[in-house]
Structures are given as C-alpha cells and as structure tokens.
Amino acid sequence: MAVLTQDTIRSSRDTTVSLVLAALIVLSWLCVHITSIFFVDWSVAGRFVLAPVVIALQCWLSVGLFIVAHDTMHGSLAPEHPRLNRAIGRFCVIIYASFSYDKLFESHHAHHRHAGTVDDPDFDADHPARFWPWYLTFFRRYFGWREFGILTIAVLAYLLILRERFPTMLVFWALPAILSSVQLFYFGTFLPHRVEEEPFTDRHRARSNDFSPIMSLLTCFHFGYHHEHHDRPGVPWWRLPAQREAALRAKAS
C-alpha cells in the first residue's frame, strides 16, 4: 500500500495547479485567436479601438504558451506523467510559432549548463549588453527554414480560408507572436543574462528583477525571477514568486 507523504501530496497538488493553469492559458489563447480572426467584424464602426487591447492580450497569452512549454522542458508541468508533459509542450510551441520542441529542449538545457558563456546557445558573446543585435542573433538561431516553411503553409491555408479577412490573421496572430518574442527575450533572457559592470554572483550567471508579483506576472509569467529559476529549474513558473521571497529571506538572515 502506497504511503502518502507531504512531498507526494505537494507534488500532486502542484501538478494539478500547473495543468489547470496551462489549460487556462492554452484555451484562452485559442479562444482569442479563433474569435478575433474568424468571428469578429472589425469593420464595424468603433470596434477597431479594441484591437490594441486584443493584440496586447494575445501577446501576453503567447508568452504564457512559451512559459508552459518551458516548464515541460524541465519536467515540472506534470512530472508524474512524462508523455502528457511532453505532448503539452509540443502543442504549445507548435501553435505559438511551429518551433521544434526537441531543438528547443536541447538548446534550453545547454543554456542551463553553460549560462552566459560562448557555449550558451541563448547568449550572444559578441553583443553581451546590446539588445537588438543579441535579439536578432537569438531570433535567427531559433527561427530557421523549418519554421519558415511550416508557417508559410499555415499562412497560405489561412489565405485560402479567410480570403478578404486575411489581414486579421496578420494582426491577431503574426503581430502578437512577434511582439511576444521581443517580450520573452527582453524579460527572460536579456535582462537576466546581459553583462553589466556588477559581476554575476555565481555560476548561474543570472539575475532576477525586483518587480512585484503582479508586474512579474504581466511581463513574463515570473520568468524574470530568473536566478531563482536557474537555482531550482524544477520549480513551476507560478511558484517562482514564493521561491524568490524565500531566497530574499535567506539572504537577509
């Protein structure tokens, strides 16, 4: 007979919370995507003023898709169900931008092993403190011919289906995806790992921002608490504020 320990109960609870939040993010993204592209008549007078709000929401949800996939790469979404864990991760990166989950998995773990060095695939040793050159290097490494080909097929399919409504796909899918990549890079890679005058404190070569939990959630689903993530990569994104608070208390004492 299995014995339920506190760790087992907490692990099961964390898995449930992570799966529920992942479902909310994915379903919300799909709802906004389908509704804004296929059903809303944006030519109705005055309705266009809502477009920036929808774009911002979909940008944020796109960041959430990637963070959910990121947690699956560390096995923290559903650790007791590895196949489900990987399946959710694959689905998220496909609907986000047709990325290869396996490539992202290998690169991300290499990033953790070699953070902030020339062997880090997410680091630009030639421009360690410049945003746009580093972002362009980052973008080229992950958006290759495979992604371009798949997205081209998707765009052509949308063109055939939507016809005169085709621009809605560019506004409410392509634009939020691009903006979210900038948001993810800025708050989740550039700020935590850029080289500054003050040296890094340890081998993680990562720093955390000082945002409040609300701002942290809005900017990058707590991925800005980046040193805590590198220190304990198995902690799911929604528990990083508590992890950050515990680290600050330990430092103060």
Side-chain angles (χ1 to χ4, degrees), residues 178-246:
I178 293 170
L179 292 176
S180 69
S181 74
V182 176
Q183 184 174 346
L184 274 164
F185 174 76
Y186 182 74
F187 291 106
T189 298
F190 180 71
L191 288 185
H193 293 292
R194 68 177 175 178
V195 174
E196 298 180 349
E197 290 185 5
E198 184 177 348
F200 291 104
T201 59
D202 57 27
R203 63 180 179 83
H204 296 308
R205 298 182 63 80
R207 63 179 65 86
S208 293
N209 62 49
D210 293 320
F211 294 163
S212 69
I214 293 296
M215 282 301 298
S216 176
L217 175 64
L218 293 176
T219 52
C220 205
F221 284 79
H222 305 311
F223 206 44
Y225 297 148
H226 210 72
H227 187 272
E228 286 70 32
H229 166 61
H230 272 256
D231 191 42
R232 294 191 63 187
V235 173
W237 68 266
W238 55 271
R239 280 186 53 203
L240 284 173
Q243 185 68 24
R244 170 73 170 161
E245 184 178 347

Side-chain angles (χ1 to χ4, degrees), residues 42-232:
W42 295 100
S43 65
V44 173
R47 191 168 289 175
F48 70 92
V49 299
L50 295 175
V53 177
V54 176
I55 292 169
L57 174 61
Q58 194 67 331
C59 175
W60 182 69
L61 290 171
S62 296
V63 171
L65 282 182
F66 195 88
I67 297 301
V68 169
H70 163 267
D71 271 9
T72 71
M73 295 175 199
H74 289 289
S76 61
L77 181 71
E80 299 92 350
H81 309 283
R83 290 185 179 180
L84 176 63
N85 186 83
R86 286 193 300 271
I88 293 173
R90 290 184 192 278
F91 181 72
C92 286
V93 296
I94 285 174
I95 64 173
Y96 175 57
S98 299
F99 286 128
S100 166
Y101 181 81
D102 293 335
K103 179 180 178 181
L104 289 174
F105 183 94
E106 293 298 329
S107 294
H108 188 66
H109 283 273
H111 163 69
H112 273 265
R113 290 193 301 270
H114 310 290
T117 70
V118 293
D119 294 319
D120 178 359
D122 291 353
F123 186 68
D124 188 351
D126 295 326
H127 309 98
R130 297 179 61 196
F131 176 81
W132 286 112
W134 186 349
Y135 171 76
L136 293 175
T137 299
F138 184 85
F139 186 87
R140 287 195 299 267
R141 284 175 180 168
Y142 289 104
F143 192 81
W145 287 110
R146 174 193 176 279
E147 289 73 23
F148 178 78
I150 295 174
L151 286 179
T152 298
I153 294 172
V155 168
L156 291 175
Y158 272 90
L159 180 60
L160 291 174
I161 295 169
L162 294 170
R163 298 183 184 275
E164 69 275 3
R165 286 180 57 88
F166 177 71
T168 61
M169 188 279 293
L170 300 177
V171 173
F172 297 108
W173 182 26
L175 181 58
I178 293 170
L179 292 176
S180 69
S181 74
V182 176
Q183 184 174 346
L184 274 164
F185 174 76
Y186 182 74
F187 291 106
T189 298
F190 180 71
L191 288 185
H193 293 292
R194 68 177 175 178
V195 174
E196 298 180 349
E197 290 185 5
E198 184 177 348
F200 291 104
T201 59
D202 57 27
R203 63 180 179 83
H204 296 308
R205 298 182 63 80
R207 63 179 65 86
S208 293
N209 62 49
D210 293 320
F211 294 163
S212 69
I214 293 296
M215 282 301 298
S216 176
L217 175 64
L218 293 176
T219 52
C220 205
F221 284 79
H222 305 311
F223 206 44
Y225 297 148
H226 210 72
H227 187 272
E228 286 70 32
H229 166 61
H230 272 256
D231 191 42
R232 294 191 63 187

